[in-house]
Amino acid sequence: MRLFHVSEDENIVVFHPRVPKRKDLNQKEGLVWAIDERRLPNFLTPRNCPRVTYYAGADTSSEDRKKYFSSTAESHVIVIENKWFEAMKNTALYLYEFDPEGFELQDEIAGYYIAKTTQVPIGKNRIDDLFAELFLRGVEVRIVDNLWDIYERVRKSTLNWSMCRMGFAQEKK
């Protein structure tokens, strides 16, 4: 298993545990977050880019597979708003890889792993073309005017999904 942290910052040498901002997590315990390679595409966007991401899981119905994927070749979709297209073209990201030792699974569907101790990356790679990287990973990228319609539909589906940075999405229509 490979674990990563994605950042626009190219100069991170050490990852210190930070108290999570999410209210559903312990606010007294610092964590280092990592993402597994399967769900890594969910984070191959500029940091504040709102996005709806989903993939077919073990419980995904054949109806939802047909409805939400344009091809049987893809098993992962990322939907962004068109106003983020230029930022996607012009943002470089850095993939910091961690030794998985010391991390524990926090959320299986999201692919989140956490460590409670300081972590030093074992590698770093720069990605200059986010679209090319997503295509290389077999991800279907959709660009829409507004995310809220797909957001509502995917949440009610049998897909495994993640909605990121929706506070930066355009207002509902």
Side-chain angles (χ1 to χ4, degrees), residues 18-73:
R18 288 197 251 171
V19 174
K21 293 179 182 176
R22 288 177 37 187
K23 301 296 182 208
D24 61 325
L25 298 173
N26 183 347
Q27 300 287 297
K28 296 178 183 174
E29 185 171 50
L31 303 170
V32 174
W33 291 85
I35 188 82
D36 68 17
E37 191 166 25
R38 182 173 183 203
R39 274 58 66 116
L40 180 60
N42 293 353
F43 294 90
L44 297 179
T45 68
R47 177 170 175 76
N48 288 329
C49 177
R51 58 214 179 259
V52 172
T53 70
Y54 57 89
Y55 66 94
D59 297 327
T60 301
S61 70
S62 59
E63 180 180 297
D64 279 347
R65 286 177 193 265
K66 290 176 188 169
K67 184 176 182 178
Y68 290 98
F69 295 95
S70 64
S71 165
T72 57

